[in-house]
Amino acid sequence: KNEVEQSPQNLTAQEGEFITINCSYSVGISALHWLQQHPGGGIVSLFMLSSGKKKHGRLIATINIQEKHSSLHITASHPRDSAVYICAVTFTNTGNQFYFGTGTSLTVIP
Amino acid sequence: EAQVTQNPRYLITVTGKKLTVTCSQNMNHEYMSWYRQDPGLGLRQIYYSMNVEVTDKGDVPEGYKVSRKEKRNFPLILESPSPNQTSLYFCASSPWTSVGSGTQYFGPGTRLLVL
């Protein structure tokens, strides 16, 4: 069965802390995407990964294909990072259909 | 400006009254998709299209129709809306890559209430 799980569901951090959000999936994937949904509801794509690691500013995304696991790290967190972070994958057995984790709600306190 | 537009942004309707939510992108993307987002269930894919005249069902296609007659437009049609289709809807587009759909660009969302 094609499943995507995220942890934690909710996360509260102090400004400046290092944050990790995890995503696990059940079977082989073509690609994994990390999305950010702002409190106003808009969704922005942060990363697309099929292997290895990507970095953009204070955000780092890694993926371990063998372990079927990806992590999103935020270094030196800031209140403006407060958002819901969503993991999405396309599985190799279902072509171009997207499956989503239920999201991690992050609050960064000044 | 590269963007995905959706209209309307907010809609209140009654059960059974046909409606269409439009989606348009100006980035010449091959892949377009519709999602619904519900509390506790997260985002779920309704339909997607890999190019003109090519559409496929996502996870929750029941009660919805789509068409892709032009590359830039991908309307979502609710022929006979029901209250369980009350939701927040997102359209998205992305270029095609060697691993399938690339980075997705999302529209601003359409909040639908079916009474």
Side-chain angles (χ1 to χ4, degrees):
Chain A
K1 189 176 176 184
N2 293 352
E3 292 179 327
V4 182
E5 290 188 1
Q6 274 186 248
S7 63
Q9 267 195 305
N10 298 286
L11 184 54
T12 300
Q14 293 289 331
E15 183 173 356
E17 284 186 11
F18 181 85
I19 289 162
T20 296
I21 299 169
N22 298 297
C23 176
S24 298
Y25 48 91
S26 54
V27 294
I29 61 169
S30 301
L32 182 144
H33 299 245
W34 282 102
L35 311 174
Q36 180 192 52
Q37 186 168 27
H38 296 287
I43 299 175
V44 174
S45 185
L46 298 175
F47 295 103
M48 174 184 154
L49 297 159
S50 53
S51 64
K53 176 179 175 178
K54 287 189 177 178
K55 184 174 190 289
H56 186 260
R58 295 179 295 103
L59 300 177
I60 303 166
T62 64
I63 189 167
N64 185 316
I65 297 295
Q66 286 72 32
E67 295 186 3
K68 298 184 178 61
H69 180 268
S70 175
S71 294
L72 176 68
H73 305 286
I74 305 175
T75 62
S77 59
H78 189 276
R80 65 175 174 266
D81 297 326
S82 298
V84 175
Y85 294 84
I86 302 167
C87 172
V89 305
T90 49
F91 292 103
T92 51
N93 65 2
T94 49
N96 300 293
Q97 183 175 336
F98 273 89
Y99 293 81
F100 296 85
T102 51
T104 295
S105 179
L106 171 66
T107 302
V108 182
I109 300 169
Chain B
E1 180 192 353
Q3 61 181 350
V4 178
T5 56
Q6 289 180 234
N7 284 293
R9 295 288 311 280
Y10 304 91
L11 180 59
I12 301 174
T13 190
V14 295
T15 299
K17 186 176 181 183
K18 181 179 178 180
L19 67 91
T20 299
V21 185
T22 64
C23 173
S24 184
Q25 50 98 1
N26 63 0
M27 296 167 278
N28 201 36
H29 286 164
E30 291 80 11
Y31 189 95
M32 295 188 75
S33 182
W34 276 103
Y35 305 98
R36 62 178 288 175
Q37 187 176 37
D38 303 289
L41 297 176
L43 282 161
R44 292 178 291 169
Q45 192 169 36
I46 302 170
Y47 271 97
Y48 62 96
S49 168
M50 290 184 285
N51 216 322
V52 175
E53 302 293 0
V54 180
T55 61
D56 275 300
K57 294 178 182 178
D59 211 20
V60 287
E62 297 79 18
Y64 304 94
K65 282 177 60 176
V66 294
S67 67
R68 187 98 181 267
K69 293 184 170 58
E70 304 165 284
K71 199 170 186 180
R72 64 182 292 125
N73 296 323
F74 191 46
L76 179 70
I77 302 157
L78 284 72
E79 294 265 3
S80 183
S82 62
N84 65 13
Q85 292 178 298
T86 292
S87 189
L88 177 58
Y89 291 86
F90 289 98
C91 179
S93 74
S94 65
W96 198 247
T97 72
S98 59
V99 293
S101 167
T103 298
Q104 292 200 77
Y105 294 78
F106 286 81
T110 294
R111 198 168 288 277
L112 172 65
L113 173 61
V114 183
L115 300 172

